[in-house]
Amino acid sequence: MQEEAVPVRPPGHCMSPARRSGFLAPFLTALGLFALLHAYVARRLFLDPGLPPVLAVAGCVLLALLVVAVPVGFVFSRRDRGWPSRVFPPLAVGWLGASGVLLTVTAVTDLGRLVFDLLHGWPTAAEQLHQARLQAAVIALGTAALVPFAVWTARGRLVLSQVRVPLERLAPGVSGLRIVQISDLHIGARIGESFLRRVVDRVNALRPDVVAITGDLVDGPVHVVEQALRPLADLDAPHGVYFVTGNHEYYWGARESVRMVEQLGLTVLHNEHRVVERDGGAVVIGGMPDLHGGRFLPDHESRPDLVFAGAPEGAPRVLLAHQPRAVTQAAPHGVDLLLSGHTHGGQIFPFHLFVRLQQPVVRGLRKLLGVWVYAHRGTGFWGPPMRLFSTPEIAEITLVTA
């Protein structure tokens, strides 16, 4: 699931009527579609199986209340309003994830019924009722199993992805250089210091040459995040720990995010580069702000033409950029490898299919426009605390001579 969010506004800020109407129309459209999908699920779960009227009505009412809970949670998340702000936002976010799993299981079982009927002939009314009851049971049990599994995946073991990238211009002295990449940690209200400490310990245990953090590190207000980021000061790599901004840094204040990161001793690559040298060889590590940065701050526009200005000729160029689609900007500037994140690998199946409509790579390594692009699956999560068939990762990128 590719993460997007509405920029957070200070308390008391009021949208203009034009901005409010521009936001309200797509919000109501999305809510209407969300409700229709729940009506589809309600029919499969409560109406088609021929449940007693009391149970069918109770089930439909429950789904309707959960639909309403989502916009209510959104409203109460904007500021602290006592216990409703502690109850409704987590309920809304949790149900967004669980309903995605529920809808997927329902659609898959519908497809299974269709294939079965095509192979065995159209069922009688009695057979249809039997199929509907069996399908409802599979939907309920499948969702009940997959949701806890998705929560465990998001909070559980971090997978180490070891990737070898062949570069033609790589000198023998820097062949085998290892870049450990973490991305999309989303440190904030739901992911805090203890999780980040675990990540830092795992990264340091790999003894990397370079550490790269490719955006969406910060996802909360300064008073929440600043304390939680402290473990980053312990990251250890002889050739540098580098950071570039993602879109979420801009939602919470990019200048404050950059300040916090710099105070911890990390190097922020802001349309600039550093040269890593070893045994007579060199690799250029460059970085630029997120593609959306210029919309928030004019001096945070992505400028790949500036990133490698003055870089040594002949040395391979590695670009840190939050979104994989930055490859279209990077390719004309001699970039050999783009390290990105943003997509979360889809986060919750089957959302990777929708992410693919916007990003050229959803997960893993692929060559585009002559550039190797690695799309990191993300180390944390955004929104629902769930990951379904997209495990969180720490990536160890080893540069080898082609």
Side-chain angles (χ1 to χ4, degrees), residues 349-367:
F349 179 88
F351 288 106
H352 66 284
L353 300 175
F354 302 100
V355 177
R356 185 64 180 81
L357 299 176
Q358 194 205 25
Q359 300 292 338
V361 187
V362 177
R363 64 180 74 176
L365 185 68
R366 184 178 172 190
K367 199 164 194 177

Side-chain angles (χ1 to χ4, degrees), residues 51-352:
L51 295 180
V54 173
L55 294 179
V57 170
C60 292
V61 169
L62 175 61
L63 285 182
L65 290 174
L66 289 169
V67 170
V68 173
V70 172
V72 171
F74 176 82
V75 169
F76 281 108
S77 70
R78 310 312 289 172
R79 63 187 64 182
D80 188 1
R81 297 179 180 176
W83 70 265
S85 295
R86 294 188 294 273
V87 172
F88 287 109
L91 174 63
V93 169
W95 180 246
L96 276 174
S99 64
V101 176
L102 175 62
L103 177 63
T104 299
V105 175
T106 303
V108 168
T109 55
D110 258 353
L111 180 61
R113 282 185 65 179
L114 176 62
V115 171
F116 182 86
D117 291 344
L118 289 175
L119 294 176
H120 296 87
W122 199 251
T124 64
E127 290 172 335
Q128 286 183 12
L129 181 60
H130 175 73
Q131 287 182 359
R133 289 175 174 172
L134 179 61
Q135 181 184 12
V138 171
I139 292 171
L141 293 174
T143 303
L146 287 175
V147 168
F149 172 74
V151 172
W152 176 84
T153 301
R155 296 284 191 178
R157 183 173 63 92
L158 292 167
V159 173
L160 175 63
S161 300
Q162 295 178 304
V163 183
R164 294 169 64 87
V165 181
L167 301 180
E168 294 182 359
R169 299 187 292 171
L170 194 67
V174 285
S175 182
L177 188 83
R178 292 180 304 116
I179 303 172
V180 172
Q181 180 192 5
I182 53 178
S183 190
D184 299 86
L185 285 107
H186 292 277
I187 302 300
R190 284 185 287 275
I191 303 179
E193 185 175 359
S194 61
F195 177 81
L196 185 56
R197 169 57 62 191
R198 184 158 61 98
V199 171
V200 168
D201 290 344
R202 285 287 305 277
V203 170
N204 285 341
L206 296 171
R207 303 178 65 84
D209 299 304
V210 173
V211 173
I213 305 175
T214 48
D216 282 5
L217 168 66
V218 172
D219 203 357
V222 173
H223 72 274
V224 172
V225 173
E226 193 157 22
Q227 171 83 9
L229 291 180
R230 292 192 309 173
L232 290 177
D234 296 328
L235 282 171
D236 185 24
H239 295 289
V241 180
Y242 302 104
F243 168 79
V244 293
T245 54
N247 51 311
H248 277 251
E249 271 77 35
Y250 295 94
Y251 303 153
W252 296 97
R255 298 199 196 281
E256 282 299 301
S257 299
V258 168
R259 176 191 64 78
M260 289 186 290
V261 169
E262 288 179 332
Q263 286 181 344
L264 293 168
L266 281 65
T267 300
V268 177
L269 293 177
H270 186 80
N271 289 322
E272 56 189 312
H273 69 268
R274 298 291 186 273
V275 180
V276 172
E277 296 179 305
R278 189 176 73 179
D279 298 334
V283 174
V284 182
I285 309 288
M288 64 184 190
D290 181 67
L291 297 177
H292 295 158
R295 301 179 187 177
F296 294 82
L297 299 170
D299 59 330
H300 278 240
E301 182 183 356
S302 299
R303 294 289 303 274
D305 56 319
L306 298 180
V307 171
F308 297 104
E313 295 294 332
R317 296 179 173 185
V318 178
L319 177 65
L320 311 184
H322 183 59
Q323 299 190 42
R325 64 191 179 99
V327 66
T328 57
Q329 293 186 10
H333 299 281
V335 173
D336 297 275
L337 170 63
L338 172 67
L339 297 181
S340 63
H342 188 64
T343 67
H344 294 203
Q347 188 165 321
I348 299 176
F349 179 88
F351 288 106
H352 66 284

Side-chain angles (χ1 to χ4, degrees), residues 159 161 343-345 363-364 374-380 387 390-393:
V159 173
S161 300
T343 67
H344 294 203
R363 64 180 74 176
Y374 188 76
H376 197 284
R377 294 195 303 270
T379 311
R387 278 182 170 271
S390 175
T391 51
E393 73 171 334

